Amino acid sequence: MFRNDSGNKSLLNRILFYIPRFEREQDQNQSDQFDWFRQSNYTEPIESSKTADEAKQPLFDSYYDFLARADSLESQMTTIGSSSSFTSAVSLSVQDDLSMLSSLIDTHLQTNLKIETSKPTAIKSVKLFQKPYYKEKIKGQEVKVTSWRMKEKMKTISAALVLCLNIGVDPPDIIKTGNSSKLMCWINQSAPQLSPQKILEMIGAELHKQYERWQARARYRLCPDPTSEDVKKLCVSLRKNAREERVLFHYNGHGVPRPTINGEIWVFNKEFTQYIPLSLYEVQTWMGTPSIYVWECSNAGLVVQSFLNFEIDREAEFKKQMEETETTVAVMPNFKDSIHLAACAATELLPQHPDLPLDLFTSCLTTPIKTALYWYVTQKNSCQLIPGLTLDLLEKIPGQISDRRTMMGELNWIFTAITDTIAWNLLDSDLFQKLFRQDLLVASLFRNFLLAERIMKSFDCNPVSHPVLPSTNEHALWQSWDLVLDMCISQLPQLFDSGGNQIGEFVSCGFFTQQIEIFELWLKLNVSSEKAPEQLPVVLQVLLSQQHRLKALELLAKFIDLGPWAVSAALSVGIFPYVLKLLSTQPKELRPLLTFIWAKILAVDRSCQAELVKDNGHVYFVQMLSESDVEPEQKVYSAFVLSTLVNDFPTGQKSAKKSHLIAVCSFVLTDETTRDYANVLLRKWICLCLGLSWNKFAEARWEGVRNNAHQLLLKLAADAEAEVRAAALFALGTYIDAGHDKEGTFEQAIEIDSQIVNTLIKSYDCVFLVRKELILVLNNYLNRFKLNESNEYGLHNQNKTNIVFSKAVATLLDLQNDPYPECALLARHVLSQMLHAESQFESAKRKLIKQIESRIVVLSEDKCHMDTGLVAWCSNYFLKPLLASHGPDSDQPLPVNRQIDLYSNEKLDQHCKILYNYKTRRVPHKWTQPSQMEELVQIQHQPYPIHVKFNPNNEQIFVADIQKNVTVYDNLNRTKLLSFSTILAPNSGAKQSAIIRSFKLINTQHEPIVLTGSDDLVVKFFKPDLHNMKQTQLITAFTAFSSIRESTVEAGLIVEWDETNEMLMCAGDTNYIRVWDMNKELYKDYLTGLKSCVSSLSCGDSFTIAGFGNGCVKLFDFRSSSSAVGIVHSDSASSFYSSTPVLHRTGSMYESKHTYSNQLYAHNSFVLKTCVHAHNNTLISCGILGDINVYDLRYMKKSVDKSFNNEKASALECHPFNRLIAVANSTKQNESIKIYNFEGAELSYIKHREGFMGKRLSTVSCIDWNPNSNEILFGSFDNMITIFRKKDNQH
């Protein structure tokens, strides 16, 4: 019933976490708060055996009984959850209690909160920084590819068929029974009308014909009843002609004695009067390696044993000879490269069934279908069970092996699929590749050997092979084979008339349809284990059928979408040559599947690019990319395939250029109105494809010039998607690095490069991914001016590029102090390499480098790998499941152990969402009357805190101190949970004295994220590991402004976060407010219209209130056309839109006697804080002198006639829900915190800490309200963090 989930052990653990803790501490006198409990306590259904009164018994005696039961269950589940056998430990009573608790909560939510549990109404909640580059390392995923390629492809090109039969004369050590078979190679040896010599010739010719069915191009040489000299001549001749290829040695010893223990087989003398022993050592010497041997004789296993022993002896002799002569060889001969198939074990005799051939083993190897049919009929007595069936009908099976539409062709097709499947499932990958994929004839013989093992073992014979194979005769698929045989032979009597003429049509047995259905069922169940279904090789065979090809490709695509392991499994089966050949087919319905399959294959194994280009497969994908009727999603796969084909592969680059790949890619980027351009993935991969196609390939660069590709890429450098911007910069970087060739001069090339760089350095991107690519663009540009190339152009052209060169160097100097460590390190490597190669630049540039040498953070001369890993990281996308059809859905069967919906993941998540929303909606009690405060928590923190924040959904507080550290405390037990420094590296080059001026806790409904803004103009986002309490992740960091202005009053960096719109507002010692759209990660700038610094920001719905150092307060409405829609990546620092102050009329909030530049002032001093109280349409502003103003945003006027407080203030914060203001007064000897309502009435104050002789408050540096209660958190200069709350009620 329960599943052992490490994150959430049970329903209770997940529900109790979301039950508001304040409900456990409610005042008993306020009985109305328990109404929901009383109303929902009677949830037990009335049973027929109970009366109404009996049934109306409450489940819990009281609300506190409910809480006690919950606490008891929580402790039980904690104990159970720590045990190893979690499922078995859950008692039935615990399960019942959980059901009742769940029912009770459901009832409460429906009746009291009016929320439907089946359709919860969630508040807006957006998970931040979910883009892949924030969650993953920018590098390629390491994929372990199973060895599926043959190390070397081989062919068996020659065969020696040695037949020692001596027909008519039985060997002395073999006793034949009276009813033994007379068949040899399905030819009757005892035919009276034929001479023994004629029969021998017929047997040899038939064996030759049988082998040709499996390898028609091999040379087969017969050696009937040979002498040892005949065998020698034949073997030596075949090895000489075969050279390094494999040779087959087939030995039939039915007419000679059994092999000896001395390692000898038998042949004849010239007169046929004696049996002559032939040493296997000599055969081994004549045949050489590689070779394959088939031993058709009794005691055949003894031959294999002796042969292997001789191989060991030969290798030892060779090594000894080398040592004695003190000679060495470049390549050690492989004496053990031999394959053996033997008919029986070392002590066994061959069977003699009257209806089957004497050479039954050979018949299994060369005529498997016919042998299987005869064996099956004789074993099952089918002639008696099926009316009209005779053994003669088996000779008339219609069709050819090569025609899969006939009975014989389908039987052979099914047999191949079954034997391949058995071998693939039982053999390791290397052995399977060697025996079943490396050599066509060897593969056929080993498939047939699996049948031979089954048939021979039915006669108590155990065939022997080397390499040794596991036992396969009892595999379950043989039952399917038997069913196929049964269905086929049952049709034979209806296919022929009495005269033997065919009168009926063969009906397919449906084997492949059934196997495809089984495979599809496996995919639907989505088995989690990384083990391929045994039907996978069947899919390979189905690809050969045009009828089933589309379905097979669909299933194959779904399978390889499961992950790299599935791609490796498909490749190991041998899918590669089939899908390669299918690229030459024309049916359009196959295109999407083939494109997807190839994208998956190349994502796992890039080495396939050589074969694909060799077979002109790239033309297929270029055509896909150029056609307008192809879906953009399919073009993404084509673009990725083409990117892989040209990635670090010059042959692929040249082939792609000939196929006009660059022109096709450029055309896709030309029209912004097309659906292709609208696809983000396609834009990204077109950029990457262009960048890889001309990487280190100058000819392709100039084709890009002719197609205006660099201008198209410059436009994409300002794309709304960061990954597209990074890809565009990558392409421009390789474009610059490609250099020039005979088609264009260096002067032309460097002019284009300078235009590109001059455009790119005017903008700043907050995404580290893009900045890293910009660094590489600048690195490639600097390298273009080294003397090995720059000696081609004159002084005039050098002067033209010096300005851009200096700008590029200046940009790199800024980037070496980038707040993101990887960007800074990469920029330092670039500058260090430039410094080390100073002598390679011309004089003007050397002079510039000398001037800035002292500003460069010099690293060692070790070469840095100038690769950001962007392409490899982007390729990881294709390693993930991309099809939406995986996993059980509403129409598919559920996995095991999902009987009870209450404990399913869907139900648990539903409970969590409902209770979570309930918790976030609850409003603390209104505070209208003066009341005293009581101290809850006091924590000593050193050094003194400058920012504090409640985590509203957990009992945690976040603290930032003067030494740039952030600490997380559990405010229940007052313990430190986690601490980390916001200084990323001691040598980062940033201002070590930079103080954290702004501190925000965002994304609290999911995983809290810490946002900091410091005096060095750097914005950083951290994600603390609050689960394991370990390393804190730096999500991203960037510089908010490129520069600031000098001012007599400095505010530092002021940031404000708008969680609803995912906007980050940055201001400070500038004359503009920069608004970052953190979804698109682009910015817009708004002029403030004032010379004073921005000292405070507070956001509302699409507008921001800014407080200034000169006392002014302004409203910026981002929806207003006059307020500006800023220019993204503007070309000059002065290209800003001005903002219009909305509040400027008489009677507005600016009711002050002081004016400056036609601007009205709200305060006479530096604005300490502005707060927008969205729930009450109210704005609160406070000056550093402590004067607090309250304004009604609806009417743009003061809601309180005059300012209040009027004491020097150090901090102020408004409650997000209640109409409460907390202000910290810093007047000497009168340090205190006062609580006001929005009408200006003082509700409470804090001057002393609690306890006997309570210490007076020190100057308070920071304040925060708990949004779920009336608790106030503050930090002070005496290194204390304190929580107070309203004394009579904590809410």
Side-chain angles (χ1 to χ4, degrees):
M1 180 178 295
F2 289 87
R3 291 176 293 173
N4 191 0
D5 182 358
S6 60
N8 301 290
K9 292 293 185 181
S10 66
L11 169 68
L12 180 74
N13 286 344
R14 295 180 70 168
I15 287 180
L16 288 182
F17 175 78
Y18 290 97
I19 294 179
R21 290 182 180 240
F22 76 89
E23 291 183 351
R24 301 189 179 209
E25 301 172 350
Q26 295 187 29
D27 194 340
Q28 298 184 33
N29 297 327
Q30 298 181 350
S31 59
D32 58 321
Q33 298 180 7
F34 298 98
D35 287 343
W36 70 271
F37 171 78
R38 295 195 184 98
Q39 294 170 6
S40 58
N41 199 12
Y42 302 94
T43 58
E44 189 174 359
I46 300 177
E47 299 178 3
S48 58
S49 60
K50 296 181 179 180
T51 65
D53 292 335
E54 291 174 341
K56 191 65 176 177
Q57 295 298 319
L59 296 175
F60 304 95
D61 296 333
S62 67
Y63 176 75
Y64 295 99
D65 180 39
F66 160 69
L67 294 178
R69 182 82 67 86
D71 287 334
S72 174
L73 282 171
E74 189 172 21
S75 62
Q76 289 185 56
M77 298 307 292
T78 302
T79 304
I80 293 171
S82 62
S83 65
S84 58
S85 56
F86 180 80
T87 303
S88 60
V90 179
S91 66
L92 185 60
S93 62
V94 172
Q95 297 173 20
D96 292 339
D97 283 343
L98 285 173
S99 301
M100 287 188 292
L101 281 174
S102 176
S103 176
L104 181 62
I105 292 170
D106 278 344
T107 306
H108 163 50
L109 294 172
Q110 292 174 350
T111 59
N112 194 44
L113 297 179
K114 308 299 182 185
I115 298 175
E116 292 292 333
T117 56
S118 58
K119 296 180 180 179
T121 306
I123 64 175
K124 180 173 181 180
S125 173
V126 181
K127 287 186 178 181
L128 301 175
F129 300 108
Q130 295 301 302
K131 294 182 179 179
Y133 45 86
Y134 290 129
K135 302 167 68 176
E136 305 169 1
K137 289 187 176 181
I138 308 302
K139 64 177 184 178
Q141 181 178 334
E142 294 183 4
V143 179
K144 184 179 180 180
V145 183
T146 306
S147 175
W148 62 273
R149 291 179 180 275
M150 285 78 74
K151 295 178 181 178
E152 52 179 343
K153 200 150 189 174
M154 301 193 71
K155 291 187 296 183
T156 302
I157 63 171
S158 301
L161 307 181
V162 180
L163 304 178
C164 299
L165 298 181
N166 196 15
I167 295 173
V169 180
D170 293 334
D173 55 354
I174 299 295
I175 301 175
K176 294 187 177 180
T177 59
N179 62 344
S180 63
S181 175
K182 307 298 182 184
L183 299 176
M184 183 71 69
C185 281
W186 301 100
I187 293 177
N188 190 353
Q189 298 182 84
S190 61
Q193 68 276 21
L194 298 175
S195 65
Q197 184 61 31
K198 183 63 175 177
I199 294 174
L200 180 61
E201 292 175 0
M202 292 174 61
I203 292 174
E206 183 62 24
L207 182 62
H208 182 182
K209 181 180 177 182
Q210 290 172 1
Y211 267 111
E212 279 188 330
R213 292 175 184 170
W214 308 111
Q215 174 61 292
R217 296 184 179 181
R219 286 179 43 187
Y220 297 95
R221 296 283 299 275
L222 286 170
C223 192
D225 291 346
T227 64
S228 59
E229 190 62 27
D230 295 335
V231 174
K232 178 180 179 180
K233 288 181 180 179
L234 177 59
C235 292
V236 171
S237 173
L238 293 179
R239 171 48 59 195
K240 181 179 180 181
N241 293 327
R243 297 183 181 177
E244 301 299 324
E245 299 291 349
R246 184 173 281 120
V247 177
L248 168 69
F249 184 88
H250 179 103
Y251 176 77
N252 186 325
H254 280 265
V256 294
R258 287 177 280 175
T260 68
I261 59 174
N262 295 324
E264 296 168 328
I265 56 176
W266 298 91
V267 290
F268 303 98
N269 62 358
K270 291 183 179 180
E271 293 78 17
F272 284 92
T273 58
Q274 289 182 345
Y275 299 112
I276 304 298
L278 176 61
S279 174
L280 292 172
Y281 187 91
E282 294 181 351
V283 173
Q284 193 176 95
T285 304
W286 302 333
M287 285 289 293
T289 58
S291 302
I292 179 172
Y293 300 85
V294 178
W295 306 106
E296 172 69 50
C297 59
S298 296
N299 301 144
L302 188 60
V303 177
V304 178
Q305 293 176 8
S306 301
F307 199 99
L308 298 179
N309 291 333
F310 286 144
E311 286 180 343
I312 297 173
D313 295 342
R314 284 170 58 82
E315 185 176 28
E317 289 177 7
F318 182 84
K319 290 180 179 179
K320 183 178 180 181
Q321 184 179 358
M322 291 297 101
E323 291 175 358
E324 291 176 352
T325 58
E326 295 183 355
T327 57
T328 58
V329 292
V331 180
M332 179 74 176
N334 187 0
F335 295 100
K336 298 181 179 180
D337 190 5
S338 63
I339 300 173
H340 299 266
L341 298 173
C344 58
T347 59
E348 295 173 347
L349 300 178
L350 296 177
Q352 301 179 25
H353 193 282
D355 296 322
L356 299 174
L358 280 172
D359 58 341
L360 180 58
F361 180 70
T362 298
S363 298
C364 290
L365 297 182
T366 56
T367 57
I369 307 302
K370 183 176 182 180
T371 307
L373 285 167
Y374 270 84
W375 176 78
Y376 181 79
V377 169
T378 56
Q379 289 290 108
K380 304 296 182 182
N381 293 322
S382 300
C383 292
Q384 299 178 13
L385 298 175
I386 301 176
L389 178 65
T390 62
L391 290 178
D392 293 337
L393 278 178
L394 298 181
E395 296 287 344
K396 300 178 181 180
I397 291 179
Q400 299 295 324
I401 285 179
S402 58
D403 188 356
R404 290 187 293 272
R405 295 170 296 179
T406 63
M407 180 182 288
M408 180 60 76
E410 180 169 287
L411 282 172
N412 183 69
W413 187 22
I414 295 172
F415 177 78
T416 302
I418 287 178
T419 50
D420 255 12
T421 302
I422 292 174
W424 184 75
N425 280 283
L426 296 181
L427 272 61
D428 64 78
S429 178
D430 291 339
L431 188 58
F432 177 80
Q433 294 296 327
K434 178 181 179 181
L435 300 182
F436 288 82
R437 292 293 182 264
Q438 189 183 48
D439 187 321
L440 180 62
L441 181 59
V442 171
S444 300
L445 291 177
F446 268 91
R447 287 192 195 100
N448 302 341
F449 177 79
L450 302 185
L451 174 69
E453 181 187 16
R454 189 185 188 216
I455 292 178
M456 298 296 285
K457 283 190 174 181
S458 68
F459 299 110
D460 296 327
C461 269
N462 295 281
V464 176
S465 70
H466 177 76
V468 180
L469 301 185
S471 179
T472 62
N473 63 301
E474 294 183 354
H475 196 278
L477 275 177
W478 285 121
Q479 298 179 17
S480 299
W481 173 242
D482 290 345
L483 177 62
V484 169
L485 293 178
D486 197 55
M487 294 176 69
C488 288
I489 62 177
S490 63
Q491 298 183 48
L492 287 178
Q494 287 77 38
L495 293 179
F496 299 95
D497 58 14
S498 57
N501 300 316
Q502 186 173 350
I503 58 175
E505 292 294 331
F506 162 67
V507 179
S508 175
C509 63
F511 170 81
F512 289 104
T513 302
Q514 295 169 4
Q515 295 299 312
I516 285 177
E517 289 174 354
I518 295 172
F519 189 79
E520 187 172 17
L521 181 62
W522 185 91
L523 288 173
K524 286 182 178 179
L525 290 177
N526 196 11
V527 179
S528 58
S529 62
E530 294 187 359
K531 183 179 180 181
E534 65 177 18
Q535 290 78 20
L536 183 59
V538 178
V539 178
L540 173 65
Q541 293 297 323
V542 175
L543 288 177
L544 299 173
S545 168
Q546 192 171 357
Q547 177 186 356
H548 300 291
R549 186 172 293 156
L550 181 62
K551 185 66 175 178
L553 282 175
E554 179 185 344
L555 296 179
L556 178 61
K558 290 181 179 179
F559 173 70
I560 64 176
D561 193 44
L562 294 177
W565 68 269
V567 178
S568 295
L571 290 173
S572 69
V573 169
I575 214 78
F576 181 80
Y578 291 82
V579 292
L580 181 60
K581 188 176 181 180
L582 285 175
L583 290 178
S584 60
T585 59
Q586 296 301 320
K588 286 191 174 183
E589 60 270 15
L590 299 183
R591 286 186 174 185
L593 294 170
L594 277 175
T595 310
F596 178 83
I597 289 170
W598 270 107
K600 284 288 185 178
I601 290 175
L602 289 170
V604 173
D605 192 350
R606 204 178 80 185
S607 64
C608 299
Q609 59 189 180
E611 290 94 331
L612 197 55
V613 172
K614 182 180 178 181
D615 285 20
N616 290 321
H618 61 283
V619 178
Y620 181 90
F621 298 102
V622 173
Q623 184 180 0
M624 285 275 291
L625 205 57
S626 63
E627 294 185 0
S628 59
D629 58 342
V630 177
E631 292 294 324
E633 292 76 14
Q634 300 304 320
K635 289 188 176 183
V636 172
Y637 301 133
S638 296
F640 169 69
V641 170
L642 291 167
S643 300
T644 308
L645 295 184
V646 297
N647 188 4
D648 197 22
F649 188 49
T651 304
Q653 289 178 311
K654 293 177 183 177
S655 301
K657 179 180 177 294
K658 290 179 182 178
S659 301
H660 308 293
L661 172 62
I662 294 176
V664 171
C665 290
S666 301
F667 180 77
V668 174
L669 300 178
T670 302
D671 190 354
E672 297 183 22
T673 62
T674 61
R675 59 176 184 170
D676 289 346
Y677 192 92
N679 189 290
V680 176
L681 272 175
L682 184 55
R683 294 203 306 274
K684 179 176 75 173
W685 276 104
I686 289 293
C687 293
L688 295 175
C689 187
L690 285 172
L692 292 169
S693 64
W694 55 49
N695 187 25
K696 308 292 184 183
F697 186 35
E699 293 180 17
R701 169 195 163 106
W702 286 103
E703 183 169 342
V705 173
R706 290 195 299 272
N707 287 279
N708 206 29
H710 61 288
Q711 293 294 341
L712 297 171
L713 291 169
L714 277 174
K715 181 174 63 175
L716 288 175
D719 194 89
E721 293 293 331
E723 290 184 41
V724 177
R725 300 198 297 271
L729 263 66
F730 166 80
L732 291 170
T734 58
Y735 181 89
I736 293 173
D737 192 45
H740 67 286
D741 66 348
K742 59 184 179 181
E743 187 172 344
T745 65
F746 184 85
E747 180 180 353
Q748 294 171 321
I750 205 67
E751 183 177 353
I752 296 174
D753 296 344
S754 298
Q755 292 173 359
I756 292 172
V757 171
N758 194 43
T759 303
L760 293 179
I761 60 179
K762 292 177 182 178
S763 60
Y764 181 81
D765 206 297
C766 72
V767 181
F768 64 88
L769 193 71
V770 183
R771 298 202 300 274
K772 287 169 69 175
E773 295 303 323
L774 175 62
I775 293 170
L776 290 193
V777 172
L778 299 178
N779 174 64
N780 294 338
Y781 181 71
L782 297 183
N783 290 338
R784 299 280 274 125
F785 291 96
K786 293 182 179 179
L787 289 178
N788 57 346
E789 293 193 57
S790 63
N791 54 12
E792 300 180 17
Y793 65 106
L795 180 62
H796 173 68
N797 293 319
Q798 293 176 14
N799 293 334
K800 288 173 60 177
T801 58
N802 281 343
I803 296 175
V804 181
F805 184 89
S806 62
K807 288 182 178 179
V809 173
T811 303
L812 285 169
L813 287 172
D814 290 338
L815 288 169
Q816 75 169 345
N817 295 324
D818 193 277
Y820 198 79
E822 292 180 13
C823 295
L825 183 62
L826 189 60
R828 292 176 189 182
H829 274 290
V830 172
L831 288 171
S832 298
Q833 288 186 11
M834 179 192 71
L835 197 59
H836 295 317
E838 176 189 346
S839 59
Q840 299 183 32
F841 294 93
E842 50 90 15
S843 58
K845 295 178 176 60
R846 284 202 304 269
K847 183 178 179 181
L848 173 64
I849 296 173
K850 281 288 186 183
Q851 291 174 354
I852 54 95
E853 182 177 359
S854 60
R855 298 170 56 189
I856 298 176
V857 181
V858 182
L859 302 179
S860 65
E861 294 191 37
D862 296 338
K863 280 197 173 182
C864 172
H865 185 52
M866 290 295 179
D867 181 11
T868 60
L870 177 68
V871 176
W873 175 75
C874 290
S875 301
N876 293 345
Y877 171 81
F878 298 94
L879 296 174
K880 304 172 184 177
L882 301 177
L883 302 178
S885 58
H886 297 314
D889 55 32
S890 57
D891 299 324
Q892 296 172 340
L894 293 174
V896 186
N897 298 329
R898 290 285 299 277
Q899 299 95 333
I900 297 181
D901 290 338
L902 176 64
Y903 302 104
S904 66
N905 275 337
E906 292 84 354
K907 186 71 175 177
L908 293 174
D909 291 339
Q910 190 181 94
H911 274 293
C912 292
K913 288 178 182 178
I914 295 168
L915 292 169
Y916 186 83
N917 289 333
Y918 166 49
K919 180 176 181 179
T920 56
R921 282 192 181 94
R922 73 176 190 257
V923 179
H925 286 186
K926 292 183 179 179
W927 187 351
T928 57
Q929 300 298 323
S931 175
Q932 293 184 355
M933 304 286 285
E934 63 176 348
E935 185 177 300
L936 290 180
V937 176
Q938 187 178 123
I939 301 173
Q940 186 171 11
H941 180 89
Q942 290 184 344
Y944 71 86
I946 56 176
H947 300 282
V948 290
K949 290 293 178 184
F950 271 112
N951 183 357
N953 300 312
N954 286 296
E955 306 296 341
Q956 296 166 348
I957 55 177
F958 287 68
V959 181
D961 58 44
I962 193 65
Q963 290 186 359
K964 287 77 74 179
N965 299 316
V966 175
T967 307
V968 184
Y969 290 98
D970 185 327
N971 63 340
L972 289 182
N973 53 27
R974 308 177 187 182
T975 57
K976 182 190 292 187
L977 301 178
L978 183 68
S979 182
F980 61 91
S981 174
T982 60
I983 301 175
L984 303 179
N987 60 344
S988 64
K991 288 169 58 179
Q992 297 301 304
S993 60
I995 299 174
I996 299 176
R997 292 295 182 185
S998 300
F999 184 78
K1000 304 290 179 182
L1001 191 61
I1002 63 177
N1003 201 51
T1004 54
Q1005 296 191 31
H1006 303 285
E1007 296 176 292
I1009 293 175
V1010 173
L1011 163 61
T1012 66
S1014 50
D1015 283 349
D1016 54 2
L1017 308 180
V1018 171
V1019 175
K1020 299 173 186 174
F1021 292 85
F1022 296 92
K1023 185 168 79 172
D1025 185 358
L1026 297 176
H1027 180 66
N1028 299 314
M1029 302 303 171
K1030 292 183 179 178
Q1031 185 176 2
T1032 297
Q1033 174 194 353
L1034 172 67
I1035 299 176
T1036 188
F1038 57 91
T1039 304
F1041 307 110
S1042 58
S1043 63
I1044 59 175
R1045 64 184 178 188
E1046 295 295 332
S1047 175
T1048 55
V1049 179
E1050 294 184 356
L1053 177 60
I1054 307 299
V1055 301
E1056 177 64 11
W1057 176 254
D1058 181 357
E1059 188 155 357
T1060 304
N1061 300 305
E1062 295 183 68
M1063 308 284 279
L1064 176 69
M1065 276 68 74
C1066 301
D1069 303 320
T1070 59
N1071 62 345
Y1072 58 90
I1073 298 175
R1074 178 161 290 179
V1075 181
W1076 291 91
D1077 183 340
M1078 295 307 293
N1079 187 24
K1080 295 181 179 179
E1081 293 160 318
L1082 299 172
Y1083 66 83
K1084 302 175 185 179
D1085 289 327
Y1086 297 82
L1087 280 175
T1088 63
L1090 295 176
K1091 295 182 179 180
S1092 179
C1093 64
V1094 177
S1095 59
S1096 175
L1097 289 173
S1098 182
C1099 66
D1101 185 10
S1102 298
F1103 68 90
T1104 293
I1105 300 290
F1108 291 84
N1110 59 3
C1112 182
V1113 176
K1114 294 186 70 172
L1115 183 148
F1116 298 85
D1117 191 340
F1118 302 144
R1119 299 166 297 180
S1120 171
S1121 59
S1122 61
S1123 285
V1125 178
I1127 297 178
V1128 177
H1129 296 308
S1130 55
D1131 288 346
S1132 66
S1134 61
S1135 299
F1136 298 106
Y1137 285 99
S1138 63
S1139 59
T1140 302
V1142 178
L1143 312 176
H1144 65 280
R1145 321 185 282 279
T1146 304
S1148 72
M1149 66 166 61
Y1150 300 125
E1151 296 176 347
S1152 174
K1153 298 178 181 178
H1154 303 275
T1155 61
Y1156 176 76
S1157 299
N1158 298 320
Q1159 297 295 330
L1160 299 176
Y1161 288 81
H1163 298 278
N1164 298 331
S1165 61
F1166 188 96
V1167 176
L1168 176 67
K1169 182 75 173 181
T1170 57
C1171 294
V1172 174
H1173 204 275
H1175 294 272
N1176 295 283
N1177 297 310
T1178 305
L1179 168 67
I1180 297 91
S1181 66
C1182 178
I1184 199 170
L1185 297 180
D1187 50 324
I1188 300 175
N1189 293 327
V1190 180
Y1191 304 94
D1192 190 328
L1193 289 174
R1194 296 171 297 177
Y1195 306 107
M1196 307 302 179
K1197 66 179 183 180
K1198 284 186 178 181
S1199 57
V1200 179
D1201 292 337
K1202 61 180 181 178
S1203 302
F1204 52 90
N1205 189 54
N1206 296 318
E1207 292 186 49
K1208 188 176 181 181
S1210 59
L1212 178 138
E1213 192 65 50
C1214 295
H1215 196 289
F1217 298 111
N1218 273 349
R1219 298 170 59 85
L1220 299 173
I1221 304 171
V1223 58
N1225 296 318
S1226 57
T1227 304
K1228 192 172 182 180
Q1229 302 301 323
N1230 193 30
E1231 292 90 347
S1232 64
I1233 295 178
K1234 292 185 179 180
I1235 312 297
Y1236 295 95
N1237 61 18
F1238 284 7
E1239 287 71 34
E1242 183 177 321
L1243 300 178
S1244 186
Y1245 66 92
I1246 306 170
K1247 284 191 175 181
H1248 299 81
R1249 304 188 185 278
E1250 287 194 352
F1252 180 70
M1253 298 291 289
K1255 184 181 177 182
R1256 288 181 60 89
L1257 289 184
S1258 177
T1259 301
V1260 173
S1261 57
C1262 47
I1263 300 177
D1264 192 36
W1265 284 96
N1266 189 337
N1268 298 326
S1269 67
N1270 289 328
E1271 296 174 353
I1272 185 171
L1273 165 69
F1274 60 89
S1276 53
F1277 287 167
D1278 57 356
N1279 301 326
M1280 299 300 294
I1281 301 167
T1282 313
I1283 299 178
F1284 274 78
R1285 70 177 177 186
K1286 183 182 175 185
K1287 193 168 186 178
D1288 56 344
N1289 189 298
Q1290 63 268 37
H1291 306 293

